[in-house]
């Protein structure tokens, strides 16, 4: 609770990112459903959004693969992009998957409206946890990126802007260890086990 209060601004920014990405997925889902895109697009989605190795895994191996990918690989890619002094560039790693999810949802609704709704509902638990975890990490990277841009601007300014990143860096590590990584682990279990249980219950 104390860590949350100390980083309230970061959580608020993460909520804004989450609202934006969820709205993006919903809008693209509706557009895809209304326009009735060609079903061959599913092959493109699968090749972009999910590694073939992960889809072939089962049980705890699949959980481990999701944790490795979403908990370490994707955050590392976002961190590298955040070092580039371009604002919001690191959001590409979560904007593109959110758009692909929207297209996928729109297509499954075209194939079978009822089953499509069931699939979407069963996906919601892990979707919310996973996407918010990414949004929280993006909110952390916002401050890193801001720090880098200010340092670069200071090179050309007479009146330097003083900013200390040491404290924020420590808080960022705490947020990742105590919130972001555990949420990714929970999302991996939800996606591997709970999604299928919910889908079976709804059918």
């Amino acid at each position: 609770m104390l860590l949350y209060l100390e980083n309230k601004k970061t959580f608020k920014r993460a909520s804004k990112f989450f609202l934006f990405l969820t709205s993006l997925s919903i809008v693209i889902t509706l557009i895809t459903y209304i326009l009735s895109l060609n079903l061959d697009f599913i092959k493109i989605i699968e090749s972009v959004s999910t590694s073939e190795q992960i889809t072939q895994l089962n049980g705890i191996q699949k959980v481990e693969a999701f944790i490795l990918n979403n908990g370490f690989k994707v955050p590392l890619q976002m961190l590298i992009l955040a070092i580039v002094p371009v604002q919001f560039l690191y959001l590409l790693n979560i904007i593109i998957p959110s758009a692909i999810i929207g297209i996928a949802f729109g297509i499954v609704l075209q194939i079978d409206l009822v089953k499509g709704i069931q699939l979407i509902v069963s996906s919601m638990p892990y979707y919310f946890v996973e996407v918010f975890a990414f949004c929280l990490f993006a909110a952390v990277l916002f401050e890193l990126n801001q720090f880098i841009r200010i340092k670069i601007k200071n090179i050309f300014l007479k009146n330097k802007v003083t900013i200390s990143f040491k404290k924020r860096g420590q808080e960022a590590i705490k947020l990742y260890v105590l919130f972001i990584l555990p949420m990714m682990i929970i999302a991996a279990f939800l996606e591997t086990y709970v999604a299928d249980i919910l889908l079976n219950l709804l059918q």
Side-chain angles (χ1 to χ4, degrees), residues 14-110:
S15 298
K16 290 180 179 179
F17 287 156
F18 179 79
L19 182 62
F20 166 72
L21 292 173
T22 303
S23 300
L24 178 68
S25 293
I26 292 171
V27 169
I28 292 179
T29 296
L30 293 173
I31 291 173
T32 304
Y33 178 70
I34 293 169
L35 295 181
S36 299
L37 294 181
N38 194 308
L39 297 182
D40 289 339
F41 212 68
I42 293 176
K43 295 178 182 178
I44 300 174
I45 293 169
E46 289 177 346
S47 65
V48 174
S49 63
T50 308
S51 150
E52 186 179 344
Q53 291 180 337
I54 293 180
T55 56
Q56 291 177 349
L57 296 176
N58 292 306
I60 197 66
Q61 289 182 327
K62 195 171 185 178
V63 171
E64 290 172 355
F66 277 126
I67 293 171
L68 179 63
N69 186 68
N70 296 338
F72 296 99
K73 287 184 179 179
V74 176
L76 179 60
Q77 292 168 4
M78 293 174 68
L79 177 61
I80 293 169
L81 289 176
I83 296 171
V84 180
V86 178
Q87 196 170 19
F88 302 126
L89 184 64
Y90 47 88
L91 287 178
L92 285 176
N93 283 77
I94 48 180
I95 288 175
I96 294 172
S98 294
I100 292 172
I101 287 170
I103 295 170
F105 283 169
I107 290 175
V108 296
L109 288 173
Q110 288 175 37

Side-chain angles (χ1 to χ4, degrees), residues 119-187:
L119 180 64
I120 291 171
V121 171
S122 66
S123 303
M124 287 301 99
Y126 78 80
Y127 174 88
F128 285 128
V129 176
E130 183 178 292
V131 173
F132 187 79
F134 277 127
C135 289
L136 185 55
F137 188 65
V140 170
L141 293 180
F142 175 90
E143 299 196 9
L144 169 63
N145 183 260
Q146 185 182 52
F147 172 80
I148 293 170
R149 287 185 288 110
I150 289 173
K151 283 294 184 181
I152 292 173
K153 285 180 182 178
N154 278 343
I155 298 172
F156 306 98
L157 294 176
K158 290 183 178 180
N159 299 320
K160 309 294 183 183
V161 179
T162 56
I163 181 170
S164 173
F165 190 72
K166 184 178 179 181
K167 184 180 178 181
R168 291 306 308 160
Q170 292 172 343
E171 294 298 322
I173 293 170
K174 287 180 183 177
L175 282 171
Y176 177 79
V177 172
L178 298 177
F179 283 96
I180 298 166
L181 186 57
M183 288 175 72
M184 290 299 185
I185 293 171
I186 292 169

